[in-house]
Amino acid sequence: NMDDGLIDAVSAMTKFVNLLVSEPDTAKVPFMIDSSKFHVVEAGLKCSQGKCIVNSISLKEGEKKFKEQASIVKMYGAAVVVMAFDEGGQAATADEKVRMCQRAYKILVEEVGFNPEDIIFDPNILTVGTGMEEHNNYAVDFIRATREIKRVCPGCKISGGVSNVAFSFRGNEAVRRGFHSAFLHHACAAGMDMGIVNAAQVIADDYHKIDKELLEYIEDVLLNRRQDSTERLLDFAATLDPKSKPTAVRRLDGSAAPFVASPKENPIVPGFNPIAPDAISLKVPIYKMWSDKVQKSSAFNVLDACMKKRIMVIDGAMGTMVQRRKLQEPDFRGTIFKNHSHDLKGNNDILVVTRPDIISDIHEQYLGAGADIIETNSFSGTFIAQADYALDAYDEVFRLNKTAAELAKAACVKFTGKDPSKPRFAAGAIGPTNRTLSVSPSVENPAYRATTFDEVVKAYYDQVCGLVAGGVDLLLVETIFDTLNAKAALFAIDKFFEEKGCSIPVMVSGTIVDNSGRTLSGQTNEAFWISVSHAKPFAVGLNCALGAQDMKKYVANLSKCCDCYVFCYPNAGLPNAMGGYDDTPANMASDIQPFAEESLINAIGGCCGTGPEHIKAIGDMASKFPPRKVPVVENVLRTSGLEPHIYKPDPVDHRKTFINIGERCNVAGSIMYKKAIVDGDYEKALAIAKKQVEQGADMLDVNMDDGLI
């Protein structure tokens, strides 16, 4: 039964992408989230911790809708496929394809602020060999348009659904697959970068190994070299075993003799090349630089000057200092929560309300030890985390964060006043929450999540409201063990800045959980960086989990690949048998010194187990070394799953670096996959995805068009 009323595309997309993320063999590659319905695309983006590609948006509904959807895609940090459609319909000729794509490019670059490297055009691969004369030049038009679009839209990429070109020859494997190989050979030569394909087949069907007789008939049709090419190919195809491969063609009669087609009524003109480049007459347009309408706070320039001048010092652990006070339940309750229904001991964040004297004293101890940046005591300041203590009401969360910000800011103002040459900064601490968006809490149900992306976005948005109202100078999204949680935080922050019309610096810090070099949700630190880089953080770094010695190689990697400031704040060694930390200030400073000596960092601090004495030792050491210089990183298309995928096309042979996007997780392209989704057999659907990666897919296309199911 294929009744589309039996399935909800949003639910199907959510469940399937959650499964893909939970399976390491599929999660390692980036996803192309594919649907003709934008709300279905969003459902997939909300489940993907890596940097995805959205397929697709277009100008079909006009510029307003196009810009709205493009802006949302940008907030999710995805690259985007733009179909060559406009208000008048689908582009068919080369001129139409170029015109529509250039118009979209101009809007994306000048008005939305898209990185050109993240813009991918699909100029419509349409079917040839249909017997209709107006279809004969479709492949030639695509190839010619590809070359011109790449020229007039610098940095853009070209993609398409390759199987479309040979739709007329379904059922004849030799011809169909031969078309795919020949098309890719010529399209890649013109600049095509990627395509939705059967990865195993396009890898096996090397153009240079295609049967030469078959290839001539195919290219006559593909390149529109003669008016009777389709009829001749159909006659030839009828002599072939339809299950044979294009590299090993078999005749139905077992004959090896060349096929004799009908007389050549339209012989090829010697030297004629229908896809030869045109003489270039138009210059590449000059596009205006996008200007962000959101104003930046004064903290940007002050922080930037400090980071360029010296290695800045971040404070140490708040929890360590609170534990030293040996506080009891009455300290956490104070007078405000004296009759509260739940125990509050352990809710360190609430101390900003019930014991502000203690929190202020801790801030001042770190500032006195030389810290330039102190964090608000708001690590668990979301309604999600505070729900454990029945303090998740908006007013309680807002008060907690606003008060935390006011205490930290007051301490910074006090110490900056003592020495204006050393400005101090209050960073709004935004922790990971106690829920994860990429990992199921149920071993039996890997697609299950205990929360949703929208809920996490709202939690972070509410927290940011309080922190900014309290006067923080910057925001620090920290201890990221699940990158999708961090993307939700960055989405909320971006939304807040857009609504308020003003932004403050944002620092982002991931957590490598062990010597595998990965986050808890499985990403390498470079994949993590690619996933959050769209937010253009002021600085990115690592904290917690590891001591300095174990953390160094991962910080070094970030230092090479990030085009912003880099920082870290490791633990005081690894925890001992009692859960404590034994690294002395002198030992920790010594362990961190290579970071400074090798110019890996712009800021340094301490996490678990560190106190003011550690920060002073680290600061004294760091003051002897110059800060890292931010490198110029090559602007290329970067996507990610658990692993980074960095696309650098071979300038001589695009086919060699072509990105194979697996086509089979597409309800429009695979009956087997479609049936698995309709039947609710997600394990079978997941097996289809795994097989594609095993067979060479660099990415996975996931299509859930509910109109098709």
Side-chain angles (χ1 to χ4, degrees):
N1 189 322
M2 295 294 177
D3 186 348
D4 60 6
L6 295 178
I7 192 161
D8 172 7
V10 169
S11 175
M13 178 69 83
T14 300
K15 186 170 184 177
F16 187 63
V17 176
N18 278 344
L19 277 175
L20 291 178
V21 169
S22 301
E23 171 53 60
D25 290 339
T26 53
K28 66 183 180 182
V29 301
F31 304 148
M32 176 176 273
I33 305 298
D34 186 353
S35 178
S36 61
K37 297 183 178 179
F38 192 73
H39 69 282
V40 179
V41 167
E42 273 203 270
L45 291 175
K46 290 174 181 179
C47 303
S48 306
Q49 68 170 331
K51 179 179 175 181
C52 301
I53 297 175
V54 163
N55 189 13
S56 60
I57 62 174
S58 76
L59 286 159
K60 183 163 53 177
E61 297 181 67
E63 290 190 5
K64 182 179 178 182
K65 177 65 73 173
F66 178 73
K67 286 187 280 190
E68 176 187 308
Q69 292 180 344
S71 297
I72 293 171
V73 171
K74 184 183 171 191
M75 285 180 69
Y76 282 107
V80 68
V81 174
V82 179
M83 296 291 294
F85 278 83
D86 68 6
E87 299 88 341
Q90 183 180 49
T93 68
D95 288 344
E96 289 172 345
K97 296 174 192 291
V98 174
R99 175 178 57 80
M100 292 183 196
C101 291
Q102 189 174 358
R103 178 186 171 200
Y105 180 88
K106 183 178 176 66
I107 293 169
L108 290 173
V109 170
E110 295 185 348
E111 300 183 47
V112 182
F114 243 91
N115 180 350
E117 296 288 338
D118 285 345
I119 300 172
I120 304 160
F121 289 113
D122 183 340
N124 307 323
I125 299 175
L126 302 175
T127 306
V128 296
T130 64
M132 300 177 68
E133 186 177 351
E134 59 266 34
H135 298 174
N136 291 348
N137 219 47
Y138 277 167
V140 171
D141 280 316
F142 181 94
I143 293 166
R144 295 179 72 85
T146 291
R147 185 180 291 111
E148 183 64 6
I149 293 166
K150 294 290 288 279
R151 190 181 74 84
V152 299
C153 302
C156 80
K157 307 292 176 282
I158 300 292
S159 181
V162 175
S163 63
N164 293 347
V165 74
F167 201 70
S168 297
F169 297 93
R170 285 180 304 165
N172 192 314
E173 286 292 279
V175 176
R176 185 182 66 84
R177 289 170 58 172
F179 259 103
H180 299 166
S181 180
F183 177 82
L184 285 175
H185 173 77
H186 294 292
C188 288
M192 187 177 181
D193 301 279
M194 64 188 74
I196 300 174
V197 298
N198 183 310
Q201 291 179 1
V202 299
I203 291 171
D205 300 339
D206 186 308
Y207 173 80
H208 301 288
K209 297 178 182 178
I210 301 296
D211 180 89
K212 301 306 178 189
E213 188 178 15
L214 171 63
L215 184 60
E216 181 178 357
Y217 284 104
I218 285 175
E219 290 189 331
D220 278 350
V221 175
L222 188 72
L223 305 181
N224 195 18
R225 295 194 296 208
R226 36 185 310 126
Q227 291 180 7
D228 60 350
S229 57
T230 298
E231 292 80 2
R232 297 174 77 245
L233 175 57
L234 287 171
D235 289 344
F236 176 66
T239 70
L240 305 179
D241 177 349
K243 299 301 181 184
S244 61
K245 298 176 182 178
T247 54
V249 171
R250 296 188 303 270
R251 294 285 182 81
L252 288 172
D253 62 4
S255 170
F259 173 74
V260 179
S262 56
K264 291 189 175 184
E265 299 173 4
N266 300 280
I268 301 168
V269 177
F272 172 65
N273 182 0
I275 56 174
D278 292 325
I280 296 173
S281 58
L282 298 175
K283 293 182 179 179
V284 176
I286 297 175
Y287 298 95
K288 294 184 297 184
M289 291 289 292
W290 174 70
S291 178
D292 192 348
K293 295 178 182 178
V294 176
Q295 293 184 341
K296 291 185 174 182
S297 73
S298 59
F300 277 95
N301 289 335
V302 181
L303 262 174
D304 186 59
C306 290
M307 289 269 188
K308 287 177 178 174
K309 184 178 179 181
R310 57 189 171 82
I311 297 174
M312 297 190 75
V313 179
I314 304 170
D315 64 1
M318 176 62 73
T320 298
M321 295 296 286
V322 168
Q323 287 172 12
R324 291 180 184 180
R325 302 293 181 119
K326 302 188 184 304
L327 302 178
Q328 300 302 315
E329 182 70 19
D331 294 295
F332 291 89
R333 286 181 175 271
T335 56
I336 297 175
F337 301 110
K338 184 177 181 180
N339 298 316
H340 190 64
S341 59
H342 287 57
D343 288 343
L344 296 179
K345 185 178 179 181
N347 186 5
N348 288 353
D349 292 23
I350 205 64
L351 293 172
V352 300
V353 176
T354 60
R355 291 300 306 269
D357 56 319
I358 290 176
I359 302 305
S360 292
D361 180 61
I362 293 170
H363 285 326
E364 293 193 11
Q365 286 190 55
Y366 279 123
L367 291 167
D372 299 293
I373 299 171
I374 59 169
E375 298 179 47
T376 58
N377 184 37
S378 57
F379 184 83
S380 299
T382 60
F383 67 71
I384 291 175
Q386 288 300 311
D388 289 349
Y389 301 97
L391 292 173
D392 50 334
Y394 177 80
D395 289 347
E396 296 290 2
V397 169
F398 182 83
R399 175 171 60 178
L400 185 157
N401 285 285
K402 183 173 182 289
T403 306
E406 288 169 343
L407 294 177
K409 182 63 176 177
C412 288
V413 169
K414 178 179 178 180
F415 274 76
T416 300
K418 291 180 180 179
D419 182 4
S421 68
K422 185 178 170 66
R424 312 301 180 99
F425 303 89
I430 299 175
T433 82
N434 51 2
R435 306 273 179 87
T436 173
L437 287 167
S438 295
V439 181
S440 173
S442 169
V443 176
E444 294 78 18
N445 186 1
Y448 172 72
R449 299 293 183 267
T451 187
T452 66
F453 186 88
D454 291 343
E455 184 181 26
V456 176
V457 168
K458 186 179 187 313
Y460 283 130
Y461 184 91
D462 291 351
Q463 182 176 26
V464 170
C465 287
L467 291 171
V468 174
V472 294
D473 301 296
L474 64 145
L475 296 170
L476 174 56
V477 182
E478 65 171 335
T479 320
I480 299 163
F481 56 81
D482 180 350
T483 310
L484 189 53
N485 282 47
K487 288 174 72 174
L490 295 171
F491 191 98
I493 290 167
D494 195 13
K495 179 183 176 186
F496 179 86
F497 290 164
E498 285 286 335
E499 291 177 358
K500 304 303 178 185
C502 184
S503 66
I504 60 178
V506 176
M507 295 170 63
V508 179
S509 184
T511 294
I512 301 298
V513 295
D514 55 37
N515 280 316
S516 68
R518 296 178 182 270
T519 62
L520 182 67
S521 55
Q523 280 196 310
T524 67
N525 64 343
E526 186 169 4
F528 157 71
W529 159 244
I530 291 170
S531 299
V532 301
S533 61
H534 66 281
K536 302 210 175 304
F538 184 82
V540 68
L542 298 174
N543 76 287
C544 203
L546 302 177
Q549 289 183 332
D550 292 327
M551 187 182 284
K552 179 176 175 289
K553 58 185 175 182
Y554 307 120
V555 173
N557 190 49
L558 278 182
S559 183
K560 287 188 294 185
C561 67
C562 296
D563 58 357
C564 63
Y565 293 117
V566 167
F567 64 95
C568 70
Y569 45 115
N571 292 340
L574 296 175
N576 58 32
M578 302 299 294
Y581 295 86
D582 301 325
D583 230 1
T584 66
N587 285 343
M588 191 171 179
S590 177
D591 288 344
I592 290 175
Q593 184 165 323
F595 293 51
E597 289 176 333
E598 297 174 32
S599 298
L600 302 180
I601 51 173
N602 301 100
I604 187 72
C607 202
C608 300
T610 61
E613 61 279 11
H614 293 85
I615 298 308
K616 184 176 189 317
I618 291 168
D620 289 345
M621 176 277 298
S623 67
K624 301 172 185 175
F625 300 94
R628 162 185 171 270
K629 291 183 179 180
V630 178
V632 175
V633 177
E634 184 181 5
N635 189 19
V636 297
L637 173 62
R638 290 177 166 83
T639 54
S640 61
L642 298 183
E643 312 282 345
H645 186 279
I646 301 171
Y647 176 60
K648 295 183 180 181
D650 187 310
V652 177
D653 184 1
H654 260 51
R655 184 68 185 88
K656 189 184 297 182
T657 48
F658 182 81
I659 300 173
N660 294 313
I661 304 171
E663 68 180 358
R664 309 313 294 173
C665 294
N666 185 328
V667 294
S670 170
I671 292 294
M672 185 182 299
Y673 176 77
K674 177 179 176 179
K675 187 175 188 307
I677 295 299
V678 171
D679 291 346
D681 190 349
Y682 283 85
E683 286 302 316
K684 184 175 181 179
L686 182 61
I688 293 171
K690 288 175 66 175
K691 186 174 181 180
Q692 288 183 92
V693 177
E694 291 167 2
Q695 292 179 336
D698 303 302
M699 299 182 184
L700 287 173
D701 178 66
V702 182
N703 178 290
M704 293 289 180
D705 266 334
D706 55 1
L708 300 171
I709 44 181

